Amino acid sequence: MKKLGIIGARGYVGAELIALLAKHSGFELAAVSSRQLVGAKVSEHFAHPSALVIQELAAEDISEDVDAWVLALPNGHAAQWSEAIWRVRHDAIVVDLSADFRFDDTWDYGLTEFNRGAIASSKRISNPGCYATAAQFALAPIVGDLAATPSVFGVSGYSGAGTTPSPKNDPEQLRDNLMPYALVNHVHEREVSRHLKHKIHFMPHVASFFRGISVTISADLTRNFTGEQLLDTYRSFYANEPLVRVTSDIPWVRDIAGKPHVAVGGFAVQDDHVVVVATIDNLLKGAATQALQNLNLAAGFDELEGIQ
């Protein structure tokens, strides 16, 4: 049994990860930190039976007994924690859920299905962004055939805006509405362009549903595909991936909510132009499920341990 700590547990993703860990046979919750929930038991706020008391940890409280840590903090806060952890225990695994290290080559990029070898021997893993995850799964099988910069139209449920109040997670602002934001140079646009090694254009939106992401990829290719050929290309590319489902149908957001996988489908074709749709649950495969895949690999467990 390996011991796991979570810094920043109060958010949606922290809650999802703790619920997944309740079904895990190899990780024991050893430390949970949250300023807002100090003094409560884990079982009082999360879907986990642990009687562990939630604390507000400081850097000097890091225990050398903990084998792995998950940093579920806002952007800009991960460095101080990762450095504090490694001062106490240099071989501890750290998975960061923020964007802080997604552009840092000293960290391994945790898009699990594309980077298993590095993750399995890593102590520092940067979990990908939710939109970036969906976009890369939709584009990876055809990236070598792209003739120009593809456009990615993304729509997320408002849980993607976190728990800190803002117009992007205000149900009244979102009621009967679709809210575009950060239409150029979004961090996930830069993230996908970097790791896919091909520039993309990305247009994010937030809608009134709570969880889930849909991305629609519009791309010109260097050669013509039929719809069936494109479907076969994706099925072959992801044939051995249990958390990727390829379908000829257009995947729907409501069907992915609460599910740990990626759905890729649609596959509309006109000459050398294609449109592909991908959906994920932004809190699961977009964050918590993927973090657990990475933790499992780095800690030597089966990749799908604890994941339904």
Side-chain angles (χ1 to χ4, degrees):
M1 185 72 72
K2 292 185 181 293
K3 294 184 177 181
L4 176 73
I6 300 176
I7 306 294
R10 177 179 173 270
Y12 296 129
V13 175
E16 293 289 346
L17 181 57
I18 290 171
L20 290 172
L21 290 168
K23 298 172 287 187
H24 201 288
S25 65
F27 278 124
E28 171 193 355
L29 271 180
V32 175
S33 178
S34 169
R35 286 182 302 165
Q36 294 87 349
L37 303 177
V38 170
K41 294 179 181 178
V42 168
S43 59
E44 293 173 349
H45 288 275
F46 302 104
H48 194 293
S50 174
L52 182 72
V53 174
I54 300 168
Q55 301 172 279
E56 182 181 358
L57 295 179
E60 57 268 23
D61 299 321
I62 296 297
S63 170
E64 64 180 352
D65 294 332
V66 179
D67 303 287
W69 292 87
V70 176
L71 306 181
L73 298 164
N75 293 344
H77 294 271
Q80 59 182 322
W81 283 102
S82 59
E83 290 165 5
I85 290 165
W86 289 320
R87 279 198 300 268
V88 173
R89 182 168 172 177
H90 66 88
D91 65 339
I93 299 163
V94 176
V95 175
D96 176 38
L97 302 186
S98 78
D100 289 7
F101 299 109
R102 294 175 192 160
F103 302 87
D104 186 335
D105 289 336
T106 67
W107 286 65
D108 290 300
Y109 185 61
L111 193 60
T112 318
E113 284 77 0
F114 299 104
N115 206 18
R116 283 191 177 96
I119 293 166
S121 59
S122 182
K123 302 300 181 188
R124 50 182 69 194
I125 302 165
S126 180
N127 227 52
C130 50
Y131 278 125
T133 294
Q136 287 176 87
F137 275 102
L139 281 165
I142 56 171
V143 68
D145 295 302
L146 292 173
T149 303
S151 293
V152 180
F153 181 91
V155 182
S156 174
Y158 64 85
S159 60
T163 57
T164 301
S166 79
K168 290 187 292 183
N169 58 20
D170 181 345
E172 280 304 306
Q173 293 277 355
L174 293 168
R175 185 162 51 89
D176 302 323
N177 197 12
L178 182 67
M179 189 180 294
Y181 66 98
L183 296 180
V184 295
N185 202 36
H186 188 283
V187 63
H188 291 172
E189 177 179 279
R190 292 182 276 118
E191 180 182 342
V192 174
S193 298
R194 172 186 173 86
H195 292 285
L196 203 62
K197 296 182 172 58
H198 198 292
K199 182 177 175 59
I200 71 160
H201 293 311
F202 174 51
M203 297 147 288
H205 301 68
V206 62
S208 58
F209 56 89
F210 178 69
R211 63 193 301 159
I213 278 176
S214 177
V215 296
T216 301
I217 309 293
S218 178
D220 291 331
L221 304 184
T222 56
R223 59 192 176 106
N224 292 357
F225 284 85
T226 66
E228 193 63 32
Q229 287 172 332
L230 196 61
L231 176 61
D232 288 344
T233 296
Y234 277 74
R235 282 179 170 162
S236 176
F237 193 90
Y238 292 122
N240 299 314
E241 296 297 348
L243 294 186
V244 184
R245 300 186 183 175
V246 178
T247 173
S248 59
D249 298 327
I250 299 171
W252 289 0
V253 166
R254 72 180 185 189
D255 294 332
I256 204 73
K259 306 290 177 57
H261 63 274
V262 182
V264 186
F267 303 117
V269 173
Q270 185 177 38
D271 300 324
D272 62 353
H273 183 76
V274 302
V275 177
V276 179
V277 178
T279 60
I280 61 170
D281 186 316
N282 57 300
L283 301 179
L284 291 178
K285 185 56 175 167
T289 300
Q290 192 143 254
L292 189 51
Q293 283 180 271
N294 291 327
L295 283 165
N296 282 337
L297 284 171
F301 299 123
D302 183 276
E303 183 182 319
L304 299 184
E305 175 63 30
I307 298 170
Q308 289 182 326

mmCIF file of all heavy atoms in Angstrom, residues 249-273:
data_model
loop_
_atom_site.group_PDB
_atom_site.id
_atom_site.type_symbol
_atom_site.label_atom_id
_atom_site.label_comp_id
_atom_site.label_asym_id
_atom_site.label_seq_id
_atom_site.Cartn_x
_atom_site.Cartn_y
_atom_site.Cartn_z
ATOM 1 N N ASP A 249 -20.981 7.658 -35.021
ATOM 2 C CA ASP A 249 -21.955 8.665 -34.598
ATOM 3 C C ASP A 249 -21.251 9.879 -34.002
ATOM 4 O O ASP A 249 -20.108 9.798 -33.547
ATOM 5 C CB ASP A 249 -22.900 8.084 -33.540
ATOM 6 C CG ASP A 249 -23.719 6.918 -34.070
ATOM 7 O OD1 ASP A 249 -24.053 6.928 -35.269
ATOM 8 O OD2 ASP A 249 -24.005 5.994 -33.287
ATOM 9 N N ILE A 250 -21.951 10.996 -33.975
ATOM 10 C CA ILE A 250 -21.433 12.187 -33.305
ATOM 11 C C ILE A 250 -21.625 12.009 -31.800
ATOM 12 O O ILE A 250 -22.747 11.799 -31.328
ATOM 13 C CB ILE A 250 -22.167 13.452 -33.775
ATOM 14 C CG1 ILE A 250 -21.973 13.659 -35.273
ATOM 15 C CG2 ILE A 250 -21.689 14.675 -32.992
ATOM 16 C CD1 ILE A 250 -22.837 14.765 -35.858
ATOM 17 N N PRO A 251 -20.550 12.039 -31.008
ATOM 18 C CA PRO A 251 -20.707 11.863 -29.553
ATOM 19 C C PRO A 251 -21.368 13.077 -28.909
ATOM 20 O O PRO A 251 -21.142 14.214 -29.327
ATOM 21 C CB PRO A 251 -19.276 11.676 -29.068
ATOM 22 C CG PRO A 251 -18.426 12.337 -30.098
ATOM 23 C CD PRO A 251 -19.136 12.184 -31.405
ATOM 24 N N TRP A 252 -22.169 12.806 -27.876
ATOM 25 C CA TRP A 252 -22.895 13.851 -27.165
ATOM 26 C C TRP A 252 -22.320 14.051 -25.773
ATOM 27 O O TRP A 252 -21.920 13.096 -25.107
ATOM 28 C CB TRP A 252 -24.372 13.488 -27.044
ATOM 29 C CG TRP A 252 -25.144 13.553 -28.330
ATOM 30 C CD1 TRP A 252 -24.668 13.887 -29.563
ATOM 31 C CD2 TRP A 252 -26.534 13.264 -28.486
ATOM 32 N NE1 TRP A 252 -25.678 13.836 -30.490
ATOM 33 C CE2 TRP A 252 -26.843 13.451 -29.863
ATOM 34 C CE3 TRP A 252 -27.538 12.865 -27.620
ATOM 35 C CZ2 TRP A 252 -28.116 13.256 -30.359
ATOM 36 C CZ3 TRP A 252 -28.825 12.673 -28.129
ATOM 37 C CH2 TRP A 252 -29.111 12.877 -29.481
ATOM 38 N N VAL A 253 -22.349 15.299 -25.327
ATOM 39 C CA VAL A 253 -21.834 15.630 -23.997
ATOM 40 C C VAL A 253 -22.582 14.878 -22.909
ATOM 41 O O VAL A 253 -21.974 14.350 -21.974
ATOM 42 C CB VAL A 253 -21.910 17.154 -23.759
ATOM 43 C CG1 VAL A 253 -21.712 17.473 -22.280
ATOM 44 C CG2 VAL A 253 -20.852 17.873 -24.569
ATOM 45 N N ARG A 254 -23.893 14.811 -23.000
ATOM 46 C CA ARG A 254 -24.652 14.200 -21.906
ATOM 47 C C ARG A 254 -24.335 12.714 -21.744
ATOM 48 O O ARG A 254 -24.517 12.156 -20.667
ATOM 49 C CB ARG A 254 -26.150 14.406 -22.113
ATOM 50 C CG ARG A 254 -26.782 13.582 -23.222
ATOM 51 C CD ARG A 254 -28.259 13.891 -23.317
ATOM 52 N NE ARG A 254 -28.916 13.023 -24.285
ATOM 53 C CZ ARG A 254 -30.163 13.201 -24.687
ATOM 54 N NH1 ARG A 254 -30.884 14.219 -24.216
ATOM 55 N NH2 ARG A 254 -30.721 12.376 -25.564
ATOM 56 N N ASP A 255 -23.818 12.079 -22.793
ATOM 57 C CA ASP A 255 -23.482 10.660 -22.708
ATOM 58 C C ASP A 255 -22.112 10.416 -22.085
ATOM 59 O O ASP A 255 -21.801 9.286 -21.701
ATOM 60 C CB ASP A 255 -23.513 10.016 -24.108
ATOM 61 C CG ASP A 255 -24.905 10.004 -24.706
ATOM 62 O OD1 ASP A 255 -25.884 9.975 -23.928
ATOM 63 O OD2 ASP A 255 -25.026 10.032 -25.955
ATOM 64 N N ILE A 256 -21.288 11.445 -21.997
ATOM 65 C CA ILE A 256 -19.933 11.278 -21.459
ATOM 66 C C ILE A 256 -19.868 11.670 -19.986
ATOM 67 O O ILE A 256 -18.900 11.335 -19.293
ATOM 68 C CB ILE A 256 -18.909 12.110 -22.279
ATOM 69 C CG1 ILE A 256 -17.493 11.526 -22.159
ATOM 70 C CG2 ILE A 256 -18.897 13.567 -21.853
ATOM 71 C CD1 ILE A 256 -17.271 10.265 -22.910
ATOM 72 N N ALA A 257 -20.868 12.376 -19.470
ATOM 73 C CA ALA A 257 -20.834 12.836 -18.078
ATOM 74 C C ALA A 257 -20.716 11.649 -17.133
ATOM 75 O O ALA A 257 -21.471 10.679 -17.221
ATOM 76 C CB ALA A 257 -22.092 13.643 -17.761
ATOM 77 N N GLY A 258 -19.730 11.724 -16.242
ATOM 78 C CA GLY A 258 -19.506 10.661 -15.278
ATOM 79 C C GLY A 258 -18.743 9.467 -15.818
ATOM 80 O O GLY A 258 -18.541 8.489 -15.101
ATOM 81 N N LYS A 259 -18.257 9.548 -17.054
ATOM 82 C CA LYS A 259 -17.545 8.438 -17.684
ATOM 83 C C LYS A 259 -16.044 8.762 -17.766
ATOM 84 O O LYS A 259 -15.660 9.917 -17.937
ATOM 85 C CB LYS A 259 -18.080 8.177 -19.086
ATOM 86 C CG LYS A 259 -19.590 7.965 -19.163
ATOM 87 C CD LYS A 259 -20.004 6.657 -18.535
ATOM 88 C CE LYS A 259 -21.522 6.495 -18.554
ATOM 89 N NZ LYS A 259 -22.094 6.586 -19.904
ATOM 90 N N PRO A 260 -15.173 7.746 -17.679
ATOM 91 C CA PRO A 260 -13.737 8.013 -17.611
ATOM 92 C C PRO A 260 -13.024 8.049 -18.953
ATOM 93 O O PRO A 260 -11.810 8.246 -18.989
ATOM 94 C CB PRO A 260 -13.222 6.819 -16.795
ATOM 95 C CG PRO A 260 -14.128 5.695 -17.203
ATOM 96 C CD PRO A 260 -15.478 6.321 -17.396
ATOM 97 N N HIS A 261 -13.755 7.888 -20.058
ATOM 98 C CA HIS A 261 -13.100 7.718 -21.348
ATOM 99 C C HIS A 261 -13.249 8.951 -22.245
ATOM 100 O O HIS A 261 -13.900 9.933 -21.884
ATOM 101 C CB HIS A 261 -13.660 6.488 -22.061
ATOM 102 C CG HIS A 261 -15.128 6.596 -22.397
ATOM 103 N ND1 HIS A 261 -16.118 6.262 -21.504
ATOM 104 C CD2 HIS A 261 -15.755 7.011 -23.526
ATOM 105 C CE1 HIS A 261 -17.303 6.467 -22.067
ATOM 106 N NE2 HIS A 261 -17.108 6.930 -23.289
ATOM 107 N N VAL A 262 -12.640 8.870 -23.416
ATOM 108 C CA VAL A 262 -12.799 9.844 -24.495
ATOM 109 C C VAL A 262 -13.689 9.214 -25.557
ATOM 110 O O VAL A 262 -13.532 8.030 -25.872
ATOM 111 C CB VAL A 262 -11.441 10.187 -25.149
ATOM 112 C CG1 VAL A 262 -11.619 11.241 -26.239
ATOM 113 C CG2 VAL A 262 -10.441 10.650 -24.122
ATOM 114 N N ALA A 263 -14.605 9.969 -26.115
ATOM 115 C CA ALA A 263 -15.392 9.504 -27.258
ATOM 116 C C ALA A 263 -15.025 10.363 -28.466
ATOM 117 O O ALA A 263 -15.034 11.592 -28.384
ATOM 118 C CB ALA A 263 -16.885 9.596 -26.975
ATOM 119 N N VAL A 264 -14.697 9.716 -29.578
ATOM 120 C CA VAL A 264 -14.325 10.425 -30.805
ATOM 121 C C VAL A 264 -15.225 9.901 -31.922
ATOM 122 O O VAL A 264 -15.367 8.685 -32.100
ATOM 123 C CB VAL A 264 -12.851 10.189 -31.184
ATOM 124 C CG1 VAL A 264 -12.472 11.052 -32.388
ATOM 125 C CG2 VAL A 264 -11.939 10.497 -30.010
ATOM 126 N N GLY A 265 -15.831 10.802 -32.686
ATOM 127 C CA GLY A 265 -16.748 10.355 -33.728
ATOM 128 C C GLY A 265 -17.128 11.470 -34.679
ATOM 129 O O GLY A 265 -16.486 12.517 -34.740
ATOM 130 N N GLY A 266 -18.226 11.217 -35.415
ATOM 131 C CA GLY A 266 -18.698 12.175 -36.407
ATOM 132 C C GLY A 266 -18.141 11.877 -37.782
ATOM 133 O O GLY A 266 -18.824 11.378 -38.658
ATOM 134 N N PHE A 267 -16.863 12.209 -37.987
ATOM 135 C CA PHE A 267 -16.108 11.878 -39.204
ATOM 136 C C PHE A 267 -16.844 12.295 -40.482
ATOM 137 O O PHE A 267 -17.133 11.490 -41.356
ATOM 138 C CB PHE A 267 -15.768 10.382 -39.239
ATOM 139 C CG PHE A 267 -15.006 9.923 -38.041
ATOM 140 C CD1 PHE A 267 -15.549 8.992 -37.171
ATOM 141 C CD2 PHE A 267 -13.754 10.445 -37.742
ATOM 142 C CE1 PHE A 267 -14.857 8.571 -36.044
ATOM 143 C CE2 PHE A 267 -13.049 10.032 -36.621
ATOM 144 C CZ PHE A 267 -13.607 9.095 -35.771
ATOM 145 N N ALA A 268 -17.154 13.583 -40.558
ATOM 146 C CA ALA A 268 -17.741 14.144 -41.774
ATOM 147 C C ALA A 268 -16.626 14.519 -42.738
ATOM 148 O O ALA A 268 -15.591 15.058 -42.336
ATOM 149 C CB ALA A 268 -18.589 15.365 -41.442
ATOM 150 N N VAL A 269 -16.827 14.245 -44.027
ATOM 151 C CA VAL A 269 -15.780 14.444 -45.027
ATOM 152 C C VAL A 269 -16.365 15.127 -46.249
ATOM 153 O O VAL A 269 -17.448 14.769 -46.733
ATOM 154 C CB VAL A 269 -15.158 13.090 -45.446
ATOM 155 C CG1 VAL A 269 -14.190 13.271 -46.594
ATOM 156 C CG2 VAL A 269 -14.475 12.426 -44.263
ATOM 157 N N GLN A 270 -15.645 16.114 -46.762
ATOM 158 C CA GLN A 270 -15.952 16.701 -48.064
ATOM 159 C C GLN A 270 -14.633 16.985 -48.771
ATOM 160 O O GLN A 270 -13.909 17.910 -48.413
ATOM 161 C CB GLN A 270 -16.776 17.985 -47.930
ATOM 162 C CG GLN A 270 -17.216 18.558 -49.278
ATOM 163 C CD GLN A 270 -18.089 19.783 -49.115
ATOM 164 O OE1 GLN A 270 -17.866 20.617 -48.237
ATOM 165 N NE2 GLN A 270 -19.097 19.912 -49.968
ATOM 166 N N ASP A 271 -14.318 16.148 -49.751
ATOM 167 C CA ASP A 271 -13.034 16.227 -50.459
ATOM 168 C C ASP A 271 -11.886 16.104 -49.443
ATOM 169 O O ASP A 271 -11.794 15.108 -48.753
ATOM 170 C CB ASP A 271 -12.953 17.520 -51.270
ATOM 171 C CG ASP A 271 -14.068 17.609 -52.322
ATOM 172 O OD1 ASP A 271 -14.415 16.557 -52.886
ATOM 173 O OD2 ASP A 271 -14.571 18.712 -52.543
ATOM 174 N N ASP A 272 -11.041 17.150 -49.342
ATOM 175 C CA ASP A 272 -9.904 17.078 -48.419
ATOM 176 C C ASP A 272 -10.193 17.765 -47.082
ATOM 177 O O ASP A 272 -9.285 18.008 -46.291
ATOM 178 C CB ASP A 272 -8.653 17.680 -49.060
ATOM 179 C CG ASP A 272 -8.822 19.164 -49.384
ATOM 180 O OD1 ASP A 272 -9.953 19.685 -49.238
ATOM 181 O OD2 ASP A 272 -7.839 19.802 -49.794
ATOM 182 N N HIS A 273 -11.478 18.072 -46.830
ATOM 183 C CA HIS A 273 -11.862 18.723 -45.573
ATOM 184 C C HIS A 273 -12.594 17.723 -44.684
ATOM 185 O O HIS A 273 -13.481 17.004 -45.149
ATOM 186 C CB HIS A 273 -12.767 19.922 -45.843
ATOM 187 C CG HIS A 273 -13.125 20.677 -44.596
ATOM 188 N ND1 HIS A 273 -12.246 21.519 -43.964
ATOM 189 C CD2 HIS A 273 -14.260 20.690 -43.853
ATOM 190 C CE1 HIS A 273 -12.816 22.031 -42.892
ATOM 191 N NE2 HIS A 273 -14.035 21.548 -42.800
#
